[in-house]
Amino acid sequence: MKNYILPFRDLVVHPGLTVPIYIDNPLSVACIEAAATANQRVVITPQHSWSYPSMPGDIYDVGTIGDIAQVLRMPDGTLHAIVRTTDVVQLTDIGVENGIFTADATPIEIVDDSGLEQTIALRDKVAENIQALAITRKFKMEKMRAIIQNYPMAAFVDSVVQSIDMDTDDAVRILRAQSWREKLMILLEKINLIAETAKIENSINRRIQQQMENGRREAILQEKMRAIQREMGDDSEEMDTENLRKRIERSAMPNDAKEKALSEWKRMRSMSPMSNEGGLLKTYLEELLSMPWDKSDNAPIDLKTARSVLDSQHSGMQGVKERILEHIAVMKKTGGNHGSILCFVGAPGVGKTSLCKSIAAALGRKYQRISLGGISDEAHFRGHRKTYIGAQTGRIMDALKRCKSNNPVIVLDEIDKMGRDWRGDPESALLEILDPEQNKSFRDHYLEVDFDLSNVLFIATANSLNMSNALKDRMEIIEIPGYSEDEKVQIAREHLISRAAADTGWNVDNIIISDDALRHLIRNYTSEEGVRELQRELTALLRRTLLEHDCMDVKTEFTPQKIDELLSLRKSATLSKRIGFGVRA
């Protein structure tokens, strides 16, 4: 006859004990009622899972069988039961029906060696060692001594297991042991391990406490040292604070910014050097001082030099280069960035970003690029309030600080890729930055003072005209068309071949490729308006040739047949990928 099983999450009991049990789980209540109705014994067994088990693997295959001595049903549906345990049993053929577990229970014989001297000595050793844990675990040693004197060995072992809050696996291991001597040996080993762990924890706690006391002691001594230094007129902290004030007064900040800085400096001076807010104010003042208030690149504008730079770095695009030179001519005549903001629109790879670098080189100015792809937070431009944790300036102020100039060329890359969400509308902040009538007094949220951006030359790039009318109204759109085949050949001849040689370690003199071969490469291996893919294919040719010649860049003529031979594997792999994608389910 199968016995009913009562699973428990944190209860492992030994035989020979009377165990009071409080049950509020409906399935456990049903198990006790079924066992009581059938006048059968019940097996108390621990479980692996935290929640009530649902399958045989969720409970251990060992438990303690006992008789139900009393069942008290409460009005709220819970049960108070008393079970007298008799034997440790091995469970087999465990089954579950409607949440109630049943199994065949085979008793595990336990040798009663509780009266032997060795067993009694082990019990006394366990009791002695557990006294080391009495302070940290708050054991009631008087109760433990009463159990030793008045109760059998089972009550002592069970009391120790429950007192030290032992893991279920260790408690089950003790339950399986077939003699009291073996149970006490396992228990003694576990107690010694807990005692050693407690010693380590106490050592760490004492060390932390000592470090905290030393820290307080050092803070007090440092405060006394500063007081002595102030009396002697030699306070390094005071000197640093005074030097900061002198730097503010000597800086080229506008009057309103200088007043703001001095006001914050007075607040910082009144605070303790150990305070967090004092450190934040010092960081804020350092940020103000690091801004290029009066630093600019004053290289004279030379139209011939500008034309030469543009022609040397970019082939074709005559109309675009003429429009850029017109803009530079107005800058030279007026001495400022008068006119519309330029926005280069074109397909990827037509040279928008590199054209912006060339403009900076032609003007002799610093160059900074800000990628706007995916930006949806206004704080990227305006910064964060300095009261926020981790606050910092916006990307415009950060770019000026990094280039140490107030008139660089700042490229707003991929301006058509900006987003918008609940954190703000970055486009509205950008409209102020690009408006020459408003950006003379741009205010970053972190700096909280006005900064003149009218000297900055802003240039935008975009892949399409997918942007608001207000943004397009601030800029002059210059569309960069795709290159013709002849222009691609010329660009490859003047720029791409040498760049691919530098990327792969080739000597450019060892590369022989005719215009017909370049046209063959363009027609059969590229399909773009720009030249980025052409650059990749040229690099792939040189890589493959290096592989075939054991990393030696021997002089090689790249004929159309040679190009097909080198790129055939790559082309076939690409075609197979496209075909496979087309038929995939």
Side-chain angles (χ1 to χ4, degrees):
M1 180 182 295
K2 290 184 177 293
N3 295 93
Y4 288 97
I5 298 175
L6 184 63
F8 271 91
R9 182 169 56 240
D10 50 3
L11 183 62
V12 179
V13 296
H14 282 76
L17 301 175
T18 300
V19 184
I21 301 174
Y22 170 75
I23 304 171
D24 60 354
N25 184 282
L27 295 176
S28 298
V29 170
C31 176
I32 288 292
E33 289 180 341
T37 302
N39 197 21
Q40 290 189 15
R41 310 179 78 191
V42 67
V43 179
I44 300 174
T45 184
Q47 63 189 51
H48 294 285
S49 59
W50 179 257
S51 58
Y52 191 85
S54 59
M55 58 184 64
D58 293 339
I59 62 175
Y60 288 83
D61 60 351
V62 65
T64 309
I65 195 169
D67 298 311
I68 301 174
Q70 182 180 352
V71 177
L72 180 61
R73 295 172 177 81
M74 306 302 292
D76 59 356
T78 62
L79 288 182
H80 288 260
I82 295 178
V83 178
R84 295 192 180 97
T85 59
T86 58
D87 297 288
V88 179
V89 293
Q90 180 73 36
L91 302 178
T92 56
D93 193 18
I94 301 174
V96 57
E97 183 177 354
N98 297 326
I100 299 177
F101 288 85
T102 58
D104 294 328
T106 304
I108 298 176
E109 295 293 335
I110 298 179
V111 178
D112 187 9
D113 54 356
S114 58
L116 298 179
E117 292 184 0
Q118 291 183 345
T119 307
I120 296 173
L122 277 173
R123 183 197 64 186
D124 295 340
K125 185 65 175 177
V126 169
E128 177 185 344
N129 287 5
I130 204 173
Q131 288 184 359
L133 302 176
I135 298 176
T136 57
R137 299 298 180 96
K138 294 182 172 56
F139 297 147
K140 295 182 179 179
M141 290 305 299
E142 295 80 6
K143 181 179 178 181
M144 196 71 67
R145 295 189 187 96
I147 292 175
I148 294 175
Q149 295 174 1
N150 304 316
Y151 292 90
M153 188 70 71
F156 173 76
V157 172
D158 191 76
S159 178
V160 173
V161 169
Q162 303 302 328
S163 298
I164 63 176
D165 194 18
M166 186 177 292
D167 293 337
T168 304
D169 288 339
D170 295 323
V172 170
R173 183 174 162 221
I174 294 174
L175 187 64
R176 289 181 186 273
Q178 297 183 1
S179 68
W180 294 110
R181 180 175 177 274
E182 184 180 352
K183 292 177 185 289
L184 290 171
M185 288 290 293
I186 299 173
L187 196 56
L188 181 61
E189 177 186 344
K190 185 63 179 177
I191 290 174
N192 290 340
L193 178 61
I194 294 175
E196 290 298 323
T197 305
K199 288 180 182 179
I200 295 173
E201 290 178 354
N202 291 335
S203 175
I204 294 173
N205 292 335
R206 284 196 302 269
R207 192 178 309 161
I208 293 174
Q209 184 69 23
Q210 184 177 1
Q211 289 176 354
M212 292 176 63
E213 292 177 355
N214 291 338
R216 285 194 294 266
R217 178 173 174 271
E218 290 177 1
I220 294 172
L221 291 176
Q222 286 176 1
E223 190 62 35
K224 290 183 177 181
M225 182 67 71
R226 277 194 292 270
I228 295 172
Q229 289 175 345
R230 279 194 294 269
E231 291 295 327
M232 298 177 63
D234 183 24
D235 187 1
S236 58
E237 187 71 34
E238 186 69 24
M239 291 175 62
D240 290 343
T241 306
E242 188 62 25
N243 288 335
L244 190 60
R245 181 188 65 81
K246 292 179 180 179
R247 288 172 58 196
I248 294 173
E249 292 178 345
R250 291 196 303 263
S251 69
M253 297 182 194
N255 291 332
D256 58 342
K258 191 171 294 186
E259 290 175 2
K260 172 71 174 177
L262 289 174
S263 174
E264 297 295 329
W265 175 83
K266 291 177 182 177
R267 287 183 56 208
M268 183 194 73
R269 187 183 183 187
S270 65
M271 295 176 182
S272 170
M274 305 297 291
S275 69
N276 186 41
E277 188 175 359
L280 294 177
L281 286 176
K282 186 175 182 181
T283 302
Y284 167 73
L285 293 175
E286 292 289 351
E287 287 286 335
L288 275 180
L289 291 170
S290 65
M291 294 304 299
W293 299 99
D294 63 338
K295 298 177 182 179
S296 57
D297 297 320
N298 294 321
I301 297 177
D302 187 342
L303 289 177
K304 292 184 179 179
T305 302
R307 185 184 294 273
S308 175
V309 170
L310 293 174
D311 288 338
S312 63
Q313 297 183 3
H314 297 273
S315 301
M317 297 192 296
Q318 293 303 320
V320 176
K321 289 191 285 189
E322 288 298 323
R323 178 60 189 89
I324 294 172
L325 290 172
E326 291 173 5
H327 193 83
I328 294 175
V330 173
M331 291 176 59
K332 180 177 181 180
K333 177 64 176 176
T334 60
N337 298 329
H338 295 278
S340 301
I341 305 297
L342 300 182
C343 178
F344 298 135
V345 179
V350 296
K352 301 184 295 296
T353 305
S354 60
L355 197 59
C356 298
K357 290 183 180 179
S358 300
I359 294 174
L363 294 174
R365 296 190 181 187
K366 302 289 194 313
Y367 169 83
Q368 289 291 323
R369 172 181 167 272
I370 299 176
S371 177
L372 305 184
I375 285 181
S376 57
D377 189 355
E378 182 185 359
H380 279 280
F381 295 122
R382 295 193 183 276
H384 304 84
R385 300 287 182 187
K386 65 176 181 290
T387 53
Y388 285 84
I389 296 176
Q392 58 185 358
T393 57
R395 299 181 71 175
I396 300 295
M397 295 293 105
D398 183 64
L400 294 175
K401 182 178 64 176
R402 282 189 282 113
C403 67
K404 300 178 181 179
S405 173
N406 62 9
N407 65 340
V409 175
I410 294 183
V411 178
L412 304 172
D413 206 9
E414 296 183 335
I415 198 172
D416 56 328
K417 302 295 193 303
M418 283 193 305
R420 178 188 300 179
D421 63 9
W422 57 270
R423 291 171 292 185
D425 181 9
E427 185 177 301
S428 299
L430 195 57
L431 290 176
E432 179 186 352
I433 294 171
L434 297 180
D435 193 333
E437 298 300 325
Q438 299 183 47
N439 64 12
K440 293 179 181 179
S441 57
F442 177 75
R443 175 163 295 205
D444 186 273
H445 285 165
Y446 182 82
L447 298 180
E448 296 181 340
V449 293
D450 294 339
F451 194 94
D452 186 3
L453 297 179
S454 61
N455 294 322
V456 180
L457 178 58
F458 291 102
I459 304 176
T461 69
N463 294 132
S464 67
L465 293 175
N466 184 22
M467 59 187 85
S468 68
N469 292 329
L471 196 57
K472 287 189 283 188
D473 183 62
R474 293 292 197 281
M475 304 180 296
E476 179 178 350
I477 306 298
I478 300 177
E479 295 191 17
I480 302 179
Y483 299 112
S484 65
E485 185 177 287
D486 293 337
E487 288 175 332
K488 289 183 179 180
V489 172
Q490 182 182 358
I491 293 171
R493 184 70 63 193
E494 295 178 358
H495 304 287
L496 302 185
I497 295 175
S498 58
R499 192 179 304 167
D503 291 342
T504 55
W506 272 72
N507 183 353
V508 71
D509 295 333
N510 291 336
I511 302 173
I512 303 173
I513 183 168
S514 64
D515 289 351
D516 291 337
L518 287 173
R519 294 180 191 278
H520 178 78
L521 182 64
I522 294 168
R523 292 171 185 171
N524 295 280
Y525 294 92
T526 66
S527 57
E528 59 170 352
E529 296 182 29
V531 292
R532 193 169 293 165
E533 191 173 356
L534 178 58
Q535 171 76 55
R536 287 196 291 265
E537 296 297 336
L538 286 170
T539 305
L541 283 174
L542 300 182
R543 286 200 310 265
R544 191 69 190 177
T545 308
L546 281 178
L547 180 62
E548 291 186 350
H549 293 91
D550 195 19
C551 300
M552 299 293 292
D553 56 334
V554 297
K555 182 170 288 190
T556 305
E557 181 178 1
F558 293 95
T559 62
Q561 294 77 15
K562 182 70 172 177
I563 291 173
D564 290 339
E565 178 186 344
L566 293 173
L567 297 182
S568 59
L569 292 177
R570 183 177 180 183
K571 183 177 179 181
S572 61
T574 303
L575 287 175
S576 63
K577 181 179 179 182
R578 291 176 181 173
I579 294 172
F581 178 77
V583 300
R584 189 174 299 160

